[in-house]
Amino acid sequence: MTFSGFPPSALRLYEDLAADNSKEAWRLRHRERYERDVRAPMDELAAELGTFFEDWSGPGVVQVLGPVRDTRMSHDKSPYKTYQGAYLDLLPCLGLWVHLDRDGLYASGRWYPYAGAEVTRYRAAVEEEDGGTELAAITGRLAEQGFVLGGDRLKSRPRGVPADHPRLDLLRHRKIDAGRRQGPAAGLHTARAGEFVRQTWLLVRPLLDWMAARELTPKPREGVDDPS
């Protein structure tokens, strides 16, 4: 089927989950609505995105996440996610993301390394004048287009980096998520929601290309140390 948006009841589901995230409530009140109003349209959107971005991902497909949370390492033991996510990885730890929650739709490009060596290479690339200036220009354009540059980052600054470094904000990052949001009033309940995700992913591609060109994705047998 063709993606035609998320119905208003999809957002209400996540409001209801915030109020009662129990297994009993899921079984009696939430599961059927989730399958019909959240999972089915997200599957349709994922299929369309996979076709549209086939040239980017090769044999990759847009993966849709399940609703059950992994609570093994979490202080919050609520069993069900309060969002519906999907992703397309272009390289290990580098790709595209979309999720639906009670506030609407969020789409982004992500770099999420799990080894300190990757963060070290990233900071070296930001320190390098040409590469760092290029990244600052890319992120500046994204900000003008309504993107927010998020992701795990230091509150202070990396060791040895002066407080007046021109790209200090970029050097603080250990992960990057550059995304923007579409609320219910902006076509979320229509096929325009799919166009929003497509355009977001197209706009964020230069950031991902910058990362890929500098080999900031995992290499064999790299450690998982946590750099400051």
Side-chain angles (χ1 to χ4, degrees), residues 98-134:
V98 59
H99 78 245
L100 179 80
D101 59 23
R102 63 190 296 179
D103 296 317
L105 202 61
Y106 176 79
S108 69
R110 307 184 301 164
W111 172 66
Y112 50 104
Y114 53 74
E118 297 150 26
V119 180
T120 299
R121 291 200 298 273
Y122 162 76
R123 288 181 178 154
V126 176
E127 288 269 22
E128 191 268 327
E129 187 60 31
D130 289 343
T133 300
E134 181 183 355

Side-chain angles (χ1 to χ4, degrees), residues 111 122-123 126 131-137 139-140 149 153 158 165-176 207 210:
W111 172 66
Y122 162 76
R123 288 181 178 154
V126 176
T133 300
E134 181 183 355
L135 179 61
T139 56
L149 194 67
R153 49 182 286 164
H165 194 288
R167 294 182 292 279
L168 177 58
D169 284 345
L170 291 172
L171 288 167
R172 286 189 173 115
H173 280 273
R174 293 183 290 199
K175 297 180 181 179
I176 288 180
L207 174 63
W210 187 94

Side-chain angles (χ1 to χ4, degrees), residues 17-190:
L17 267 175
D20 188 348
N21 201 312
S22 66
K23 292 182 179 180
E24 181 179 14
W26 179 266
R27 179 175 58 85
L28 294 177
R29 297 193 298 276
H30 302 328
R31 182 170 60 189
E32 182 178 354
R33 186 165 32 140
Y34 165 78
E35 295 290 349
R36 181 188 66 236
D37 298 337
V38 175
R39 183 59 187 251
M42 184 60 86
D43 283 341
E44 293 165 0
L45 176 59
E48 290 190 3
L49 292 170
T51 299
F52 188 89
F53 291 100
E54 186 176 10
D55 290 345
W56 288 15
S57 59
V61 296
V62 178
Q63 302 286 339
V64 179
L65 301 177
V68 179
R69 294 181 66 228
D70 183 352
T71 61
R72 289 172 295 178
M73 303 297 290
S74 173
H75 294 296
D76 177 5
K77 300 302 181 183
S78 56
Y80 301 103
K81 296 172 185 173
T82 54
Y83 66 91
Q84 174 60 62
Y87 66 92
L88 176 62
D89 274 345
L90 307 180
L91 291 169
C93 300
L94 185 72
L96 300 152
W97 171 263
V98 59
H99 78 245
L100 179 80
D101 59 23
R102 63 190 296 179
D103 296 317
L105 202 61
Y106 176 79
S108 69
R110 307 184 301 164
W111 172 66
Y112 50 104
Y114 53 74
E118 297 150 26
V119 180
T120 299
R121 291 200 298 273
Y122 162 76
R123 288 181 178 154
V126 176
E127 288 269 22
E128 191 268 327
E129 187 60 31
D130 289 343
T133 300
E134 181 183 355
L135 179 61
I138 291 170
T139 56
R141 286 194 297 270
L142 289 173
E144 293 172 356
Q145 294 162 335
F147 284 74
V148 174
L149 194 67
D152 180 38
R153 49 182 286 164
L154 295 174
K155 293 181 179 179
S156 56
R157 61 181 188 269
R159 293 191 194 97
V161 175
D164 61 350
H165 194 288
R167 294 182 292 279
L168 177 58
D169 284 345
L170 291 172
L171 288 167
R172 286 189 173 115
H173 280 273
R174 293 183 290 199
K175 297 180 181 179
I176 288 180
D177 181 282
R180 60 182 187 168
R181 181 172 282 278
Q182 180 187 47
L188 182 68
H189 310 312
T190 72

